[in-house]
Structures are given as C-alpha cells and as structure tokens.
Amino acid sequence: MALDTLIVFAGVYPDLDSAEADYDLVKALHNSAGLMDAYDAAVIHRREDGKVKITRKHETPTRVGGVLGGGTGLATGLVVALFPFAAIGGGLLAATTAGGAILGAVAGHAAAGMSRDDLKELGESLDKGEAGLVVVGVMDMESRIEESMQRSETLEKKELQADVEALERDAKDAVDQS
C-alpha cells in the first residue's frame, strides 16, 4: 500500500465572494506552476436555511474523478464526509447510483486518511462561517497554498494520508456493484 501524504486546508470566510476569490488564487497558483493535477478544491456556501452547497470545485483529473468520470476528488469527499447532505449545483451530490457509489468511496477514503480529531476540528471550523474553501494539495505546495488563502478568517491545516490506487479500486468496485 503506497500512501501519499497530502495537505488539507480548510478556510472559513465571511462571505461566498471571498472564498471564491481565494479559490481563483489557488487555481491560478497551480496553473502558473503547471501543477493543475496536484490539487483538489471545493468552495462551500452555507445557505440561509443552514444547508451546505458546493458552489465550485476542481478535481485532479488523474485521480478517481478523471478515471471514472465522476468528477469527485478528495476535497469534495472531505466536504461530504463533514456535511453528508451537501448539494452541488441544483441537486444532491449523490444524484445517481454510480455517482453516489463513487462519492461514498472517495468520502470514506478522505475521512479514513485523517484522525477523528482532525475531522472534527475541520467540521467545527467550517461551521463558523458563511462560506469555506477546502483545498487538498501536494505537500511541496503547502506554503504557497496557504498564502493564496489570504481572505480566510481562520485557516485549519491538516495532513491527509491517501492510497490513491486503493481509492480508484474501491470506487470502480462500488460502480460495478451499483
């Protein structure tokens, strides 16, 4: 089992515009460095009714989302692990059986790659803002990602251990069984 150590940032924002502006900075950072396949990101917005919606996301094309066409990466998986009924666009993330199977596999791996305490801290932190930005990136981009999330009111940083090969295998198995 080959584990990759990734860095997770969860920024809390006073409004959606600030979170999306930092999302754009993180994306530009990776684009300028030629590392578009080295991160996943998801912007979340807590609506007035208290429900969480993913408004924008970037998924690493060489991980599960690209392989299976599900468009689900570790950042989205973490959001779903923290907020199981999160919505994307106009509907629930798990809108299809295959999509739900992939999402379940990714969320399970994302949650399993962190300690319970770290997951709890991330969830509690993101509960405090109107919006949030979750970024999962490679360790050597840590300081640059942190600098790009400059508008956040608070910023949590945690490590995530991920076995990408096992994640892809589990997601494919889940789709085959659905």
Side-chain angles (χ1 to χ4, degrees):
M1 172 169 80
L3 291 177
D4 291 327
T5 300
L6 304 168
I7 190 74
V8 175
F9 288 97
V12 177
Y13 294 83
D15 56 66
L16 183 58
D17 290 341
S18 297
E20 289 185 340
D22 278 2
Y23 169 91
D24 290 336
L25 288 175
V26 170
K27 186 173 183 176
L29 165 69
H30 284 84
N31 191 34
S32 68
L35 298 171
M36 289 303 285
D37 63 345
Y39 83 106
D40 294 336
V43 175
I44 62 171
H45 179 237
R46 183 175 310 283
R47 301 183 307 206
E48 288 184 24
D49 62 7
K51 294 182 181 173
V52 173
K53 178 180 179 182
I54 296 175
T55 62
R56 294 175 71 184
K57 64 187 180 101
H58 171 84
E59 312 296 351
T60 296
T62 56
R63 288 196 199 129
V64 173
V67 173
L68 298 177
T72 302
L74 289 169
T76 301
L78 272 174
V79 169
V80 171
L82 297 169
F83 305 101
F85 297 103
I88 185 166
L92 289 177
L93 281 169
T96 66
T97 304
I102 294 170
L103 183 57
V106 174
H109 276 271
M114 298 179 75
S115 74
R116 287 162 84 73
D117 287 341
D118 284 353
L119 280 171
K120 181 180 176 194
E121 286 177 24
L122 287 179
E124 288 174 353
S125 178
L126 289 169
D127 275 341
K128 294 176 184 169
E130 178 183 316
L133 173 58
V134 177
V135 178
V136 178
V138 294
M139 291 297 286
D140 60 347
M141 292 292 286
E142 178 179 353
S143 63
R144 292 166 65 188
I145 294 170
E146 189 169 4
E147 289 170 13
S148 296
M149 296 176 72
Q150 59 194 341
R151 291 174 182 83
S152 66
E153 294 178 319
T154 61
L155 188 61
E156 293 283 335
K157 178 172 53 171
K158 306 292 181 190
E159 285 188 9
L160 170 71
Q161 299 288 320
D163 183 344
V164 176
E165 289 177 12
L167 175 54
E168 289 178 3
R169 194 171 45 250
D170 289 352
K172 286 177 185 176
D173 289 348
V175 169
D176 292 343
Q177 294 173 11
S178 60

